[in-house]
Every structure is written in structure tokens, then in C-alpha cells.
Amino acid sequence: MNGVLKTERLTKTFGGLIAVDDVSLELQKGELLALIGPNGAGKSTCFNMLMGQLKATSGKVYLADEEITDLSPRQVWRKGVGRTFQITATYSSMTVIENVQMALLSHFGDILRFLPRAHLLHREEALKLLDLVGMADQADRHCAVLAYGDLKRIELAIALAHSPMLLLMDEPTAGMSPKERVDLMELTAKIVRDQGVSVLFTEHDMDVVFAHSHRIMVLNRGKLIAEGDAGEIRNNPLVQEVYLGGGTLFTSEVESHA
Amino acid sequence: MELFVAQIITGLANASSLFLVACGLSLIFGVTRIVNFAHGSLYMLGAYLGYTFMQVLPGALGFWSSILLAGVSVGVIGILVEMLVLRPVYKAPELFQLVATFGVILVIQDIALIVFGPEDLLGPRAPGLRGVFRVMGEPVPKYDIILLVITPIVALALWYLITQTRVGVLVRAATQDREMVSALGVNQAWLFTGVFGLGSALAGLGGALQLPKGGADLLMDFHILAPVFVVVVIGGMGSLPGAYLAAVIISVLNVFAVTYLPQSTLVLMFVVMIVVLTIRPYGLFGREEVAGEHGQVGEPERPIKPASPRVQLLTSVFILLLAMMPIYSASFSLVFTTDVLIFCLFAASLHFLLGLGGLVSFGHAAYYGGGAYVAALLVTHANTPMELAFLLAPLGAGIAALVIGWVCLRLTGVYFAMLTLAFAQLLWSLVFQWGEVTGGDDGIVNIWPSEWLKPTIVYYYLTLLFCVGGILLLRHIAHSPFGYALRAARDSKRQAESTGIDTRKIQLLAFGFAGFMGGLAGALFVFSKGSVFPNELEIARSFDALIVVFLGGVKTLAGGVAGGVFFKGIEDILLKFEYWRLVMGLLIIFVVVLAPEGIVGSLRKGAERLNLIKSKDM
């Protein structure tokens, strides 16, 4: 098999609330898979379990046939998983390129070196990564003064620094303008094509999802309720009910916030 | 059994002042997020004012109204402090307010000295409550019983105010989410002022209430500070029941310790605190602080870059001037410069933790004084040669820092700061009370360097070598991958952990390294003075370093050193005056209010405005 990521009956409960309920999914090499669902459906919880921020209550996670359930975020990253955050996380006291160099320093095991000058190390590689996300011309700018969309692209460069086989993107286009959304998703699609990376992302903007993902999975109240390509999902009655009415969406939100 | 009950009653009575001061502090912290170090000073003012009123107002009615009046007056003083000193700095970088409150401590100390004189005042007995009650045959002062009753009443009144009234709702809401409360149209400024006034009034009340038991003196501000912080932290920041319970635990244990284990009284409360925080990291009733990434307050820190050739040249010239100092300058200025250099190394080591790591250690004196004591103890008890003791001292301090850091780094924010303070105080109490080994208050004397290092000039060069070397090393490491990782862990722990950086390991190593450098400064100090006393481990010494780093500028690499030179220079001039604390305190407050970027940051901004240096990218 060539599955890059596989979960088996992944479940997370918080007290009595079942946030993620028996989710099994599989991601192929070079695939761009969207995980969608209304607020409170369990997307972020799912993500945090994959990356090791949260411990799964039960179930297993495999990365290329190797079990990574309950590894720490650091270990998961070492196995070859990169991630971007719903709310950007960058080093605000550093320049753009230093943000990327930081990930490279970690990747090449340089963190505990006390003698060399950090800003001279891996500069070439960092520039290449910035060039890939279209930020090379801003490499030496101070990170704290950049626009939000630019920060998202820096995060992408950071996540790609150790040539991951899998990229997890939690709402990559949240807070962006429509043009920035399209640009970022086209960039992601290009990276998937060129580098053979697999991408799992969550998203609220349906235009983005339908236009760019190879396959879509729909999560509602912790359960996977549908799977398929854009056409299949659009015409799936269950999904329509969740998103467009029938009262299900409303009740699910009330319950999950109770 | 009888004695046991009597002691519990005494303990509960002693808890009352502690509780009042602690819940005032807790209240202020909860709403304004200001750790008010001047709270002990307000308590002291309460005692002095209460005493003064009691001299004028006669009888039992006079006594009790004096206590109330003292509380109200201190409340008004608190309001003035808040409006004049703190309001301008709410927007300043995090914990900068702390330095301002330290300035307030100094100012109040000298004002109390001017107004009330240097003599300790013996508190008047409460009229009608002079005798003792017999409780199971044991004498218990009547006043203790009264305190026992008053404290729960005050606590209940506060509880009613906080949970049942509209004001209380606002206070609780502000504790949870300040921005939201102000967005809902509540005048945040006045809410802060009001809470600060109330908290101050409680401190003043506590000070006046303990008059019949303890009187008033000029040291009580610092003496109450450590127990109050311990109580607030054990109880859980912002929790009233927690503060009460913790005050009772600490006071009762203290009474028993006085009876059965008198050497342990000071150490005990810190041991209790460390035990409690190990089991419940956020105190008995505290809730976890959500360490949100709201970014830094104020202007974001700029990227660092290695010194430009021009700066390198200037630094070289400066070091050369220092090296040639014995040629053109008198011996006493060499001694003074030695002091300044040692202090700069101490400050730079704290700056490394605080500036680069974002780890606000309130107890950095532990490593400075610790290093000094390691050297002194080795020389005195083990006849260690000076050179070896000099090298082992920083090692000892570094190892202590690793151990302490390992415990403290489980916590974040204010809890982290308080725990580091507690450990420093633990060391201080150990040294202070373990007289047979450490000499206690008399210190350890006759710790001189070896013959070849004895001449002032030679020792000056030794200091110059290690201090300049140490500072340059700290600076170099700031630019190394390790220094970058330390900043990364501070800027975004989330991102750092998700890219394989073990942030806790990095921070622990930084803690150990800063402790090592602090210990080196301590070792240089002890051999230059020939003696060491417990005050090198005091809270005040830790604060010296904190103030210096803040004044110099947290967000600039040169901040620690610039602040050190400034502070020592000013101190040298001011110590010649009788009321130097007043001037120093006012100076600190002025700098904090007028130049919140610190000295280096403000100079850089000024230069940028005048186009002397070009500003990048802003």
C-alpha cells in the first residue's frame, strides 16, 4: 500500500462529550484531502491528535505504516509531518528568513550549537523555501510588520523545511482576502504536484474546498458522514442536511456547546 | 493538648494581618495583572498611620476608629499611587510596572523615615483587651480572640462584595477578560483605580490591626512581602478562600515551628510552598493560567544582528580604556570599577534569561549570592585553595540553577516568577538560620584571594577579564543557534515544539547557564570584598538586577550592561545623601513613565528620530 497517513477508529472524549467518534481515514501519496464540517464537528481535535498535541482516547494513527499514536509534536515532526496553524505562529522578533532558518537549524540538529552565528547557517536553503512560497523578496524584513497573508506563507515555508511527506494545514485560508485564498491554495496544489507531498487540510470556505481538493471528507458531531470528490459531496443528501438545513446543523451546534 | 489548642488560636490570630494583606494583593493582581511589590509598604504605612491616629484619638472607640482610618488613608494613598505611577505604564511592556512599584517601595521607605523617624514604635494595647482569656487553662491574649473573629467577618464582607454586588460582577469579569469588559462600556481606568484602592486599604487595615502584637518599624515592608507572596501563591492567585486557608496554614505552622523547631521558621513556609506547588502547580484554589499567545505588549522586539564594525570599534576602544585604567586613575576608582563590572555581569546573566528567554526570574540573587557562598564555604570549611574555590563557585551556582529551573519551568508567568523568588528566599533563610555553618547574620569573613591576586590592580584585571569575557560570551551565544532557539521558545512555543525544538530543555539549559554566570559574578564579588553576608541573597538583591535589566531595556541586547553602569553610577552618587532611596525611587519612576523602552531602547529611538541611524523596516 502507499497510504501516507492512516487512522484507525480514532476517538477522543472530553468527559461525556465525544468530540471525535471512531474516525478511520486514509490519505494517499500526493493527495490533497479536505476535512470539512460545521463548527464543533471535531476537525481541530482530529488535527491535534494527529500532530500529538492531544492524546487520543482510543484508536491508532499510522504514518507510512509506522504507528505514531501518542507521539509528542516534536517526534511527529521528526517522522516527517509539517503543520500550519489556524492562528499563525511565527517568531515575531525575527526576520522572515530567520523564521525559516529556525526550522532548518532544528532539522539539521544545530540547536545545541553555541559557537556559530545562527543567521549565517542554512541561508541558501531558507531562501529557496521562501522563493517557493513567493516571499524571497521580503526575506530580510521583520516578521512582526508583515500582513497576515504573508505570515501564512511564511508558516508554509517553515512547515516545508524538513521536506515532510505529510503536511497538515488547519484552516490555511482563514482571515485572508478572496485573492489571497486562491493564491495560497494554488500554491499548495503546486507544492503537492511538484514535491509529492500529501496534504490534509480543514477549511470552512466551500469554494476553496471544491476548487482545490482531490477528495473531501465530511465530519459532523465527531463522526465521518460522507466521503468523495467535489461532485459527490455537493450532491450528498446527508451533507446537504448538515450544511443547508433540516435543523441538524442547528441542534448539533447547541449540543456541542452545551 | 491544651498548649496545642492555644497555639492554634495564636496561629489563627497571626493569620489575620497576613490574610488581609494577601487578599489585597491577590485582588489587585486578579484585575490589573500588576504584581504590586509595594504592597508591603502600604501595610507598613497602615501600621504607622494607625499608631499616629491612636496617639490622638482616645479610648476603645478611638482605637478602633484609628484602625479604620488607617485603612481608609492607605486606600487613598493607594489610589494616588495608581493614578500617578501605574496609569501611565499599563501599556508599557509586561512586568515593567513591577519596576515602578519597586520605585514606590523606595519612596515610601524614605517618606516613612522622614515622617515617623527611625525608632521602632511599640504598638499600643487595645483598650479593654489587655489581659488574657484562659482557654483550657492556657493563657490566650484577648486581642488574639478578637482578631480571630474579625478576619472571617472581613473575609465574608469581601466575599459578599465580590460575589453578590454589581461592582463584584465587574471585578470578576475584569479578572477573566479585561478587553471584553471595557468593550461593554465599563470605564476600565476607574475600575482599576478602585480595585487598587480597595486592595491598598486592606493592606493598611492589616498593618494597623497587628499594631498591638507587632508595632511599627521600617523593615516591616520587606518582612511581610515574602510571606504574603507565599500565601497568595499557595492559595492560588485571585482566590479569597485560598488566601485565607493559606494564611492560616502558614501562620499556624509558624507558631508550632517557633515552639518545636526554632531554626526552621523562615525555611518552613517556602518548603510548604514548594510542596504545594509541586502537587498543585496553580495553588490550592487557583486555576491554570492560560498562557495565551497574545504577543508581547508594546512594540515587538526587533530582530538582533551582530555588532556592526562601528560598534565593534567603539566597544574595543571602551575595553581598552578600561584596561588602561590603572595608568590614569586612582586606586579607589579601580575598586569602584571592579564593583560596576561585577554588577554588570550579574545583570547581563539575568538579561540573558529575561530578555532572550522571556523567563522572568524574581530570584536571581540565589545564584549570585549562592556563588559567593559556595566559594566562601569551601575556603572556610574545606580549606580549598582560592583558585579552585573561584572555579567551583559558578559550577555550584549553575547546578543549583539547573535544579531550581527544573522545578520552576513546570510553571509559567507569574507562578514561575513567584516560585523562583521562593527558592531564592529558601536559600536566604537557610543561610540566615543555619548559623553554625554559614555564620548566619554575621556572614563569613576573611575570604581573600591568593597572594598573587591580592594587589588591587591584579584583581582588577582578573575581574575585567572574567566580566568582559562573560558578557561577550553571553552576547555571542545570543547570536548562536542556541540563543535563537531560546528566543523562538519565547516568541512561539507552539511553533517551536511543532518544528522539533525541545523548548523546556532549551530553557532549562539557559537557566543553568545564567545561574553559572551569576555565580561567577558572585565569586568575583566575594574575593574582592573578603566577606559575604546573607543580604547578597536577599529579595532586594534580586530586585537590583531586575531593575537594572528593565531600566537598561529588556528588548535590547546591551540592556543589561547599560542598566548596570547607569544604576551603579547613580547609586554611587546618591549614597552620599541621607535620603538616597527617595531620589532613587523617584528616578526609577520617572524613567519608567518617561522612557518605557529602557535606556538603550530610548536612545535608539531618539537617534532614529534624528536620523542618526537608519531605522529598518518600520
Side-chain angles (χ1 to χ4, degrees):
Chain A
M1 62 171 278
N2 54 356
V4 171
L5 175 76
K6 197 169 91 173
T7 72
E8 261 175 20
R9 318 201 62 173
L10 200 58
T11 302
K12 178 74 193 177
T13 58
F14 296 105
L17 177 84
I18 306 172
V20 174
D21 191 358
D22 210 14
V23 169
S24 301
L25 58 81
E26 204 172 330
L27 183 66
Q28 303 303 319
K29 188 167 159 45
E31 193 176 26
L32 195 58
L33 174 65
L35 188 64
I36 64 168
N39 281 328
K43 305 182 299 287
S44 289
T45 310
C46 222
F47 253 62
N48 287 334
M49 279 191 286
L50 297 181
M51 199 62 200
Q53 260 102 0
L54 270 180
K55 255 190 159 33
T57 310
S58 64
K60 289 189 163 49
V61 183
Y62 296 92
L63 184 72
D65 291 334
E66 186 184 356
E67 186 175 346
I68 59 162
T69 325
D70 295 339
L71 292 187
S72 71
R74 288 200 303 274
Q75 290 165 317
V76 174
W77 180 81
R78 293 248 172 252
K79 299 276 178 206
V81 182
R83 83 167 286 178
T84 64
F85 294 89
Q86 191 174 342
I87 300 162
T88 54
T90 50
Y91 309 124
S92 58
S93 73
M94 299 184 193
T95 62
V96 170
I97 192 162
E98 283 168 352
N99 264 273
V100 182
Q101 278 169 298
M102 210 57 244
L104 289 164
L105 287 169
S106 176
H107 178 52
F108 290 110
D110 291 326
I111 290 295
L112 289 182
R113 293 175 69 186
F114 297 84
L115 294 178
R117 291 263 160 99
H119 72 286
L120 302 175
L121 297 174
H122 314 301
R123 210 182 138 85
E124 288 304 308
E125 294 98 314
L127 262 179
K128 264 185 219 152
L129 285 162
L130 284 176
D131 192 41
L132 189 68
V133 300
M135 288 291 293
D137 52 334
Q138 306 199 53
D140 289 311
R141 289 193 73 192
H142 183 186
C143 209
V145 300
L146 294 181
Y148 192 69
D150 290 341
L151 290 181
K152 286 264 184 191
R153 288 198 283 176
I154 296 169
E155 262 200 334
L156 189 54
I158 293 174
L160 290 170
H162 65 319
S163 319
M165 59 174 113
L166 170 67
L167 196 56
L168 300 174
M169 301 171 84
D170 198 359
E171 299 203 16
T173 70
M176 289 177 133
S177 70
K179 163 130 184 23
E180 283 175 326
R181 284 170 191 236
V182 173
D183 287 351
L184 187 85
M185 285 321 290
E186 276 174 0
L187 174 62
T188 309
K190 180 176 171 318
I191 290 165
V192 168
R193 256 192 332 268
D194 295 353
Q195 316 207 344
V197 179
S198 314
V199 173
L200 177 66
F201 73 108
T202 67
E203 186 55 65
H204 274 294
D205 186 332
M206 286 307 132
D207 293 339
V208 169
V209 171
F210 291 138
H212 297 283
S213 47
H214 302 152
R215 191 155 61 97
I216 300 167
M217 292 184 125
V218 187
L219 208 57
N220 187 36
R221 298 160 86 178
K223 277 186 191 304
L224 275 183
I225 57 165
E227 185 191 335
D229 63 24
E232 286 163 351
I233 292 298
R234 215 174 271 168
N235 297 318
N236 185 312
L238 263 175
V239 177
Q240 284 177 352
E241 198 177 309
V242 166
Y243 272 96
L244 300 173
T248 321
L249 170 61
F250 185 66
T251 29
S252 78
E253 274 200 336
V254 168
E255 273 172 28
S256 57
H257 288 153
Chain B
M1 182 62 201
E2 291 79 15
L3 185 65
F4 187 78
V5 173
Q7 283 183 328
I8 289 199
I9 292 176
T10 314
L12 285 171
N14 291 349
S16 85
S17 292
L18 198 52
F19 164 70
L20 288 174
V21 184
C23 73
L25 184 78
S26 202
L27 208 61
I28 292 175
F29 171 79
V31 175
T32 63
R33 292 281 135 180
I34 284 187
V35 180
N36 180 24
F37 272 93
H39 218 62
S41 310
L42 296 168
Y43 163 79
M44 178 175 77
L45 281 183
Y48 273 114
L49 287 172
Y51 182 89
T52 313
F53 290 134
M54 283 170 199
Q55 301 303 306
V56 187
L57 304 169
L61 185 68
F63 177 83
W64 294 107
S65 28
S66 296
I67 289 180
L68 275 183
L69 269 177
V72 173
S73 323
V74 174
V76 172
I77 294 172
I79 287 176
L80 286 178
V81 167
E82 198 272 348
M83 289 173 70
L84 295 176
V85 180
L86 295 177
R87 269 200 189 177
V89 295
Y90 281 126
K91 292 261 183 289
E94 210 174 335
L95 290 164
F96 213 82
Q97 297 96 344
L98 183 136
V99 179
T101 65
F102 193 77
V104 174
I105 294 184
L106 294 176
V107 171
I108 290 182
Q109 257 176 0
D110 264 4
I111 289 180
L113 176 65
I114 294 168
V115 176
F116 303 106
E119 284 86 29
D120 291 2
L121 302 179
L122 195 63
R125 297 289 193 70
L129 297 167
R130 283 168 215 276
V132 293
F133 288 121
R134 293 266 156 197
V135 176
M136 301 169 80
E138 289 290 324
V140 175
K142 287 182 182 171
Y143 192 67
D144 279 9
I145 304 288
I146 299 295
L147 285 182
L148 207 64
V149 180
I150 292 178
T151 321
I153 294 177
V154 176
L156 274 179
L158 271 179
W159 172 84
Y160 183 83
L161 178 76
I162 301 286
T163 57
Q164 306 294 315
T165 65
R166 183 179 145 73
V167 176
V169 169
L170 290 181
V171 169
R172 278 183 294 144
T175 310
Q176 291 207 337
D177 194 335
R178 276 191 278 173
E179 282 81 17
M180 192 65 209
V181 171
S182 77
L184 291 172
V186 176
N187 188 334
Q188 202 180 328
W190 285 109
L191 186 65
F192 279 23
T193 309
V195 166
F196 204 90
L198 178 62
S200 308
L202 287 168
L205 214 53
L209 260 183
Q210 62 80 52
L211 271 173
K213 292 173 74 79
D217 60 73
L218 287 169
L219 291 175
M220 56 194 287
D221 53 349
F222 267 113
H223 282 167
I224 191 92
L225 207 53
V228 161
F229 277 117
V230 167
V231 163
V232 170
V233 171
I234 288 183
M237 284 279 189
S239 159
L240 283 182
Y244 185 65
L245 187 62
V248 168
I249 291 175
I250 292 295
S251 304
V252 171
L253 275 178
N254 194 48
V255 171
F256 280 104
V258 168
T259 316
Y260 300 109
L261 211 66
Q263 314 87 316
S264 73
T265 44
L266 293 171
V267 183
L268 192 68
M269 72 182 169
F270 297 107
V271 174
V272 173
M273 171 170 167
I274 290 161
V275 170
V276 168
L277 290 191
T278 313
I279 301 163
R280 290 189 61 89
Y282 296 94
L284 294 171
F285 289 84
R287 252 169 292 153
E288 183 170 356
E289 243 184 56
V290 183
E293 285 185 35
H294 299 296
Q296 297 162 310
V297 181
E299 200 177 286
E301 186 177 314
R302 316 260 188 100
I304 58 171
K305 42 181 191 289
S308 62
R310 193 166 51 162
V311 174
Q312 280 177 2
L313 185 70
L314 275 173
T315 315
S316 313
V317 170
F318 185 65
I319 294 173
L320 200 66
L321 281 177
L322 280 175
M324 294 188 334
M325 209 168 162
I327 301 171
Y328 58 82
S329 144
S331 159
F332 71 87
S333 21
L334 279 190
V335 173
F336 173 68
T337 312
T338 305
D339 287 355
V340 175
L341 283 169
I342 292 172
F343 194 70
C344 284
L345 178 61
F346 177 40
S349 72
L350 177 64
H351 184 272
F352 184 77
L353 264 190
L354 212 160
L356 296 181
L359 300 168
V360 184
S361 162
F362 278 5
H364 208 57
Y367 317 112
Y368 176 74
Y373 264 98
V374 168
L377 288 172
L378 282 172
V379 170
T380 314
H381 293 289
N383 279 324
T384 315
M386 176 264 171
E387 290 83 358
L388 187 62
F390 180 80
L391 293 177
L392 287 176
L395 265 184
I399 291 168
L402 281 178
V403 174
I404 295 175
W406 187 81
V407 179
C408 296
L409 281 170
R410 297 166 62 240
L411 301 176
T412 52
V414 179
Y415 282 88
F416 171 82
M418 288 300 143
L419 203 54
T420 55
L421 178 76
F423 271 106
Q425 279 302 99
L426 179 68
L427 278 186
W428 174 81
S429 357
L430 268 178
V431 166
F432 194 81
Q433 291 197 313
W434 200 8
E436 308 92 85
V437 177
T438 61
D441 208 12
D442 299 329
I444 303 176
V445 291
N446 263 330
I447 314 294
W448 294 108
S450 303
E451 280 308 319
W452 67 279
L453 285 167
K454 257 192 187 144
T456 312
I457 292 184
V458 181
Y459 201 81
Y460 173 76
Y461 278 117
L462 180 82
T463 313
L464 188 66
L465 177 72
F466 277 100
C467 289
V468 170
I471 291 166
L472 289 180
L473 181 64
L474 283 165
R475 199 187 153 87
H476 185 85
I477 288 179
H479 291 102
S480 76
F482 179 80
Y484 268 63
L486 189 59
R487 279 162 65 220
R490 175 200 66 192
D491 282 358
S492 176
K493 190 178 163 133
R494 217 159 34 121
Q495 180 65 270
E497 284 282 335
S498 310
T499 44
I501 298 171
D502 188 342
T503 53
R504 208 176 147 202
K505 184 164 100 186
I506 299 285
Q507 290 176 334
L508 185 59
L509 283 174
F511 213 93
F513 184 62
F516 180 91
M517 284 302 183
L520 181 62
L524 284 165
F525 166 82
V526 69
F527 288 112
S528 78
K529 295 287 173 231
S531 58
V532 60
F533 299 96
N535 61 349
E536 298 311 326
L537 284 161
E538 260 176 9
I539 299 185
R541 186 68 69 243
S542 296
F543 282 8
D544 282 351
L546 274 173
I547 287 175
V548 158
V549 170
F550 278 104
L551 288 189
V554 178
K555 295 178 180 178
T556 45
L557 277 183
V561 177
V565 174
F566 178 77
F567 185 83
K568 274 285 168 189
I570 295 281
E571 194 186 57
D572 189 56
I573 299 166
L574 287 182
L575 279 177
K576 299 187 176 87
F577 299 101
E578 193 181 354
Y579 297 114
W580 67 272
R581 287 190 193 85
L582 183 66
V583 184
M584 185 79 173
L586 288 175
L587 197 72
I588 288 173
I589 293 170
F590 273 121
V591 173
V592 167
V593 172
L594 298 178
E597 308 273 325
I599 298 168
V600 179
S602 299
L603 284 179
R604 185 169 67 186
K605 279 216 139 169
E608 277 173 9
R609 206 160 294 158
L610 297 172
N611 287 324
L612 293 179
I613 53 177
K614 67 177 168 62
S615 124
K616 265 196 89 182
D617 216 354
M618 296 311 290

Coordinates of all heavy atoms in Angstrom, one line a residue, chain B residues 346 365-366 368-370 372-373 425 428 431-432 440-443 525 531-544:
Chain B
F346 N 26.5 40.3 36.5 CA 25.3 39.8 37.2 C 24.0 40.2 36.4 O 23.2 39.3 36.1 CB 25.3 40.4 38.6 CG 24.1 40.0 39.4 CD1 23.5 38.7 39.4 CD2 23.5 40.9 40.3 CE1 22.4 38.4 40.2 CE2 22.4 40.6 41.1 CZ 21.9 39.3 41.0
A365 N 19.2 36.5 42.6 CA 20.2 36.7 43.7 C 20.7 35.3 44.2 O 21.8 35.1 44.8 CB 19.7 37.5 44.8
A366 N 19.8 34.3 44.1 CA 20.1 33.0 44.5 C 21.4 32.5 43.9 O 22.2 31.8 44.6 CB 19.0 32.0 44.2
Y368 N 23.9 34.5 42.4 CA 24.9 35.5 42.7 C 25.4 35.2 44.1 O 26.6 34.9 44.4 CB 24.4 36.9 42.5 CG 25.3 38.0 42.9 CD1 26.4 38.3 42.1 CD2 25.0 38.7 44.0 CE1 27.2 39.4 42.4 CE2 25.9 39.8 44.4 CZ 26.9 40.1 43.5 OH 27.7 41.2 43.9
G369 N 24.5 35.3 45.1 CA 24.8 35.1 46.5 C 25.2 33.6 46.7 O 26.1 33.3 47.4
G370 N 24.6 32.7 45.9 CA 24.9 31.3 46.0 C 26.3 31.1 45.6 O 27.1 30.4 46.3
A372 N 28.8 33.2 45.7 CA 29.6 33.8 46.7 C 29.7 32.9 47.9 O 30.8 32.7 48.4 CB 29.0 35.2 47.1
Y373 N 28.6 32.3 48.3 CA 28.6 31.5 49.5 C 29.3 30.1 49.2 O 30.0 29.6 50.1 CB 27.2 31.2 50.0 CG 26.9 32.1 51.1 CD1 26.1 33.3 50.9 CD2 27.3 31.9 52.4 CE1 25.8 34.2 51.9 CE2 27.0 32.8 53.5 CZ 26.3 33.9 53.2 OH 26.0 34.8 54.2
Q425 N 14.5 32.8 48.4 CA 14.2 33.1 49.8 C 14.5 31.9 50.6 O 15.0 32.0 51.7 CB 12.7 33.5 50.0 CG 12.5 34.9 49.7 CD 13.3 35.8 50.5 OE1 14.3 36.3 50.1 NE2 12.9 36.1 51.8
W428 N 18.1 32.0 51.1 CA 18.4 33.0 52.1 C 18.1 32.6 53.5 O 19.0 32.8 54.4 CB 17.6 34.3 51.7 CG 17.8 35.4 52.7 CD1 18.8 36.3 52.8 CD2 16.9 35.7 53.8 NE1 18.6 37.1 53.9 CE2 17.5 36.8 54.5 CE3 15.7 35.1 54.3 CZ2 16.9 37.3 55.6 CZ3 15.1 35.7 55.4 CH2 15.7 36.8 56.1
V431 N 20.7 30.1 54.8 CA 22.0 30.8 55.2 C 21.8 31.6 56.5 O 22.6 31.5 57.3 CB 22.5 31.7 54.0 CG1 23.5 32.6 54.5 CG2 22.9 30.8 52.9
F432 N 20.6 32.2 56.5 CA 20.4 33.1 57.7 C 20.3 32.3 59.0 O 20.7 32.7 60.0 CB 19.1 33.9 57.4 CG 18.9 35.0 58.3 CD1 19.6 36.2 58.1 CD2 18.1 34.9 59.4 CE1 19.4 37.3 59.0 CE2 17.9 36.0 60.3 CZ 18.6 37.2 60.1
G440 N 25.3 32.7 59.8 CA 24.1 33.4 59.9 C 24.2 34.9 59.5 O 24.9 35.2 58.5
D441 N 23.7 35.7 60.3 CA 23.7 37.2 60.1 C 25.1 37.8 60.1 O 25.3 38.8 59.4 CB 22.8 37.9 61.1 CG 22.2 39.1 60.6 OD1 22.2 39.3 59.4 OD2 21.7 39.9 61.4
D442 N 26.0 37.1 60.8 CA 27.4 37.7 60.9 C 28.2 37.4 59.6 O 29.3 37.9 59.4 CB 28.1 37.1 62.1 CG 27.4 37.4 63.4 OD1 26.8 38.5 63.4 OD2 27.4 36.6 64.3
G443 N 27.6 36.6 58.7 CA 28.3 36.3 57.5 C 29.6 35.5 57.6 O 29.9 35.0 58.7
F525 N 32.8 38.8 43.4 CA 32.4 39.7 44.4 C 33.0 39.3 45.8 O 33.6 40.1 46.5 CB 30.9 39.7 44.5 CG 30.4 40.3 45.8 CD1 30.3 41.7 45.9 CD2 30.0 39.6 46.9 CE1 29.8 42.3 47.0 CE2 29.6 40.2 48.1 CZ 29.5 41.6 48.1
S531 N 34.5 39.2 52.2 CA 33.4 38.7 53.1 C 32.1 38.5 52.4 O 32.0 39.1 51.3 CB 33.2 39.6 54.3 OG 32.9 40.9 53.8
V532 N 31.2 37.8 52.9 CA 29.8 37.7 52.3 C 28.8 37.6 53.4 O 29.0 37.0 54.4 CB 29.7 36.5 51.3 CG1 30.0 35.2 52.0 CG2 28.4 36.5 50.7
F533 N 27.7 38.3 53.2 CA 26.6 38.3 54.2 C 25.3 37.9 53.6 O 25.2 38.0 52.3 CB 26.5 39.7 54.8 CG 27.7 40.2 55.5 CD1 28.6 41.0 54.9 CD2 27.9 39.8 56.8 CE1 29.8 41.4 55.5 CE2 29.1 40.1 57.5 CZ 30.0 41.0 56.8
P534 N 24.3 37.5 54.4 CA 23.1 36.9 53.7 C 22.4 37.9 52.8 O 21.6 37.5 52.0 CB 22.2 36.6 55.0 CG 23.1 36.4 56.1 CD 24.3 37.3 55.8
N535 N 22.7 39.2 53.0 CA 21.9 40.2 52.1 C 22.3 40.1 50.6 O 21.6 40.6 49.8 CB 22.1 41.6 52.6 CG 23.5 42.1 52.6 OD1 24.4 41.3 52.5 ND2 23.8 43.4 52.8
E536 N 23.4 39.3 50.3 CA 23.7 39.1 48.9 C 22.7 38.1 48.3 O 22.6 37.9 47.1 CB 25.1 38.5 48.7 CG 26.2 39.5 49.1 CD 26.1 40.9 48.6 OE1 25.6 41.0 47.5 OE2 26.4 41.8 49.3
L537 N 21.9 37.5 49.1 CA 20.9 36.5 48.7 C 19.4 37.1 48.8 O 18.5 36.4 48.4 CB 20.9 35.2 49.5 CG 22.0 34.2 49.2 CD1 22.2 33.3 50.4 CD2 21.8 33.4 48.0
E538 N 19.3 38.3 49.3 CA 18.0 38.9 49.6 C 17.2 39.2 48.4 O 17.7 39.3 47.2 CB 18.2 40.2 50.3 CG 18.1 40.2 51.7 CD 18.4 41.6 52.3 OE1 18.6 42.5 51.5 OE2 18.5 41.7 53.5
I539 N 15.9 39.4 48.6 CA 15.0 39.8 47.6 C 15.5 41.1 47.0 O 15.5 41.3 45.8 CB 13.5 40.1 48.1 CG1 13.0 38.8 48.8 CG2 12.6 40.6 47.1 CD1 11.5 39.0 49.2
A540 N 15.9 42.0 47.8 CA 16.4 43.3 47.4 C 17.5 43.2 46.3 O 17.6 43.9 45.3 CB 16.9 44.2 48.5
R541 N 18.4 42.2 46.5 CA 19.5 42.0 45.5 C 18.9 41.5 44.2 O 19.3 42.0 43.1 CB 20.5 41.0 46.1 CG 21.7 40.8 45.2 CD 22.6 42.1 45.2 NE 23.3 42.3 46.5 CZ 23.1 43.4 47.2 NH1 22.2 44.4 46.8 NH2 23.7 43.6 48.3
S542 N 17.9 40.6 44.3 CA 17.3 40.1 43.0 C 16.6 41.3 42.3 O 16.7 41.4 41.1 CB 16.2 39.1 43.3 OG 16.8 37.9 43.9
F543 N 16.0 42.2 43.1 CA 15.3 43.3 42.5 C 16.3 44.3 41.9 O 16.0 44.9 40.8 CB 14.5 44.1 43.6 CG 13.2 43.4 43.9 CD1 13.0 42.1 43.4 CD2 12.3 44.0 44.7 CE1 11.8 41.5 43.7 CE2 11.1 43.3 45.1 CZ 10.9 42.1 44.6
D544 N 17.5 44.5 42.5 CA 18.5 45.3 41.9 C 18.7 44.9 40.5 O 18.7 45.7 39.5 CB 19.8 45.2 42.7 CG 19.8 46.0 43.9 OD1 18.9 46.8 44.2 OD2 20.8 45.8 44.7

